[in-house]
Amino acid sequence: MMYPFMTLNDDTEITHSEMKADGKVKVYIETPDEFGGFHNATCWLPDYKWEDIEGYSDTEMAYFKQLIRNNAHLIIEFSQEGGILNAANS
């Protein structure tokens, strides 16, 4: 299951998984493109291992890497509480 975390002004969606048994959390970033498709990237926390990067420039990836690094503590916390919406209701 993936939980919403953040939507940016350009309609980029950032979602995350629940925390896996091995302590890892999948973070998925997806931005619609002008051709009806999507640019996407996946990051695994807490290792910050990036994979499946498609369509993003080096500048965009530098931004996303910093954004995820700055918010990793929140994403990891929410991954243990059923997402931000469930955490807000606790």
Side-chain angles (χ1 to χ4, degrees):
M1 172 133 205
M2 297 297 284
Y3 300 101
F5 177 67
M6 183 183 295
T7 302
L8 305 179
N9 289 340
D10 67 352
D11 292 328
T12 296
E13 294 282 341
I14 301 174
T15 60
H16 66 84
S17 70
E18 72 283 353
M19 183 174 282
K20 306 295 184 186
D22 63 2
K24 295 192 184 316
V25 178
K26 178 181 180 179
V27 179
Y28 183 72
I29 302 171
E30 180 179 82
T31 307
D33 68 21
E34 63 273 11
F35 306 109
F38 293 91
H39 298 176
N40 58 273
T42 300
C43 178
W44 287 93
L45 297 175
D47 300 333
Y48 299 98
K49 180 180 182 287
W50 288 87
E51 62 186 24
D52 301 327
I53 300 168
E54 294 185 28
Y56 291 122
S57 68
D58 290 343
T59 302
E60 290 168 318
M61 284 308 302
Y63 171 79
F64 291 135
K65 287 177 180 181
Q66 189 64 46
L67 180 69
I68 297 305
R69 192 164 290 277
N70 289 344
N71 289 281
H73 64 288
L74 294 173
I75 295 169
I76 290 169
E77 178 182 334
F78 296 149
S79 74
Q80 298 173 71
E81 299 179 14
I84 192 170
L85 297 178
N86 283 335
N89 292 327
S90 298

